[in-house]
Amino acid sequence: MRQIIIGNWKMNGSRALVDEMAREVYARAASLPCDLVLCPPATLIAPLAQALPGIAIGGQDCHERVSGAHTGDIAAGMLREAGASHVILGHSERRADHGESDAKVRAKVGAARAAGLTPIVCVGEDEAARQAGRADAVVLGQLAASLPEDFTAGVVGLVAYEPIWAIGSGRIPSEADIAAMHGAIRAALRARFGAAGGAIAILYGGSVKPANAAAVLALPEVGGALVGGASLVPGDFLAIAGAAMAPALGRTPVAG
Ligand code: PEP
């Protein structure tokens, strides 16, 4: 399967950026060796879906309920109606800024799946855990508690490994550390979901840039990248997507 490059615009972007993406990214998307997903703020989902037909669009969060008295929140079905097919859940910024627990993330994953959205579930350790040698324990603990039992039934979700200390910092783990964590996540997914766990794409996220994308994307069990800052610069996003491994090169197949 093709690698997946996901752009997380966070609380950035405008109609002008939508137009820029339509001009610069859309024309080249068909020739890229990977699939793209763009995750703008909720207000830009519909304009982006209209401007880039055929490119997958994602939300950055959804509520666990389908509707109700939850001022400021957005339901998975609303994202879907606006044109989204994916949703990022459990991003470390949501976990930190909004106190989202693993149980909350798991409930949101259920809501997303029920609405027909593909959840992109983020996990990642902070710097203290990495330095204390607890990165695996933290990440595998989040993974176990954030994914519902039916994660591989019907709509198969994606997992993104995003070390918190690498997000927006310009620092990334060593290639050996990325490969080791992706291997550990794969083993946990297989142990829990059997063969279906082998088909869940595991993306790396955290300071992926044009200069490091090829090396990261060539690592075993890396099924793509979740890109923050560089996804706001069309040329950089295209360069990262262009560095994806074509399936024909014979790497371990991934699905998503
Ligand atoms: C992110 O926040 O998902 C992310 C990967 O950000 P950045 O690429 O800017 O580190």
Side-chain angles (χ1 to χ4, degrees):
M1 294 290 284
R2 286 152 66 88
Q3 289 189 318
I4 305 164
I5 307 297
I6 301 178
N8 174 13
W9 290 11
K10 313 193 185 192
M11 199 172 70
N12 298 294
S14 58
R15 291 277 183 149
L17 185 59
V18 169
D19 293 345
E20 215 183 322
M21 288 284 163
R23 271 196 316 275
E24 298 186 28
V25 174
Y26 193 56
R28 297 203 28 216
S31 61
L32 292 170
C34 59
D35 293 329
L36 300 181
V37 184
L38 293 174
C39 301
T43 53
L44 294 176
I45 289 174
L48 201 56
Q50 275 159 21
L52 286 79
I55 302 290
I57 309 295
Q60 298 176 10
D61 177 53
C62 70
H63 199 274
E64 65 270 30
R65 301 261 166 107
V66 293
S67 64
H70 304 289
T71 303
D73 280 312
I74 193 158
M78 296 170 179
L79 296 176
R80 175 93 190 200
E81 194 174 57
S85 55
H86 291 64
V87 61
I88 298 170
L89 294 172
H91 191 284
S92 57
E93 288 156 11
R94 297 279 327 166
R95 290 178 186 262
D97 295 354
H98 299 272
E100 291 189 8
S101 64
D102 292 329
K104 174 76 96 179
V105 174
R106 188 174 64 239
K108 291 180 176 212
V109 172
R113 287 169 42 78
L117 295 178
T118 300
I120 304 154
V121 183
C122 301
V123 292
E125 82 282 1
D126 63 17
E127 188 151 31
R130 165 72 50 185
Q131 282 174 355
R134 298 191 56 251
D136 278 34
V138 168
V139 168
L140 298 181
Q142 286 180 337
L143 189 74
S146 300
L147 302 188
E149 284 313 317
D150 62 355
F151 191 64
T152 55
V155 178
V156 179
L158 314 176
V159 169
Y161 167 55
E162 296 207 302
I164 296 170
W165 52 275
I167 293 177
S169 67
R171 300 160 55 209
I172 69 168
S174 68
E175 291 174 21
D177 284 347
I178 295 174
M181 186 62 82
H182 279 242
I185 292 171
R186 175 66 68 214
L189 292 173
R190 279 191 201 280
R192 182 165 173 194
F193 299 112
I200 297 169
I202 308 167
L203 279 54
Y204 170 78
S207 293
V208 175
K209 306 290 178 197
N212 59 27
V216 170
L217 291 166
L219 294 171
E221 299 293 3
V222 172
L226 180 51
V227 183
S231 72
L232 297 168
V233 182
D236 286 359
F237 190 59
L238 275 174
I240 291 167
M245 302 289 289
L249 295 182
R251 61 192 310 290
T252 309
V254 295

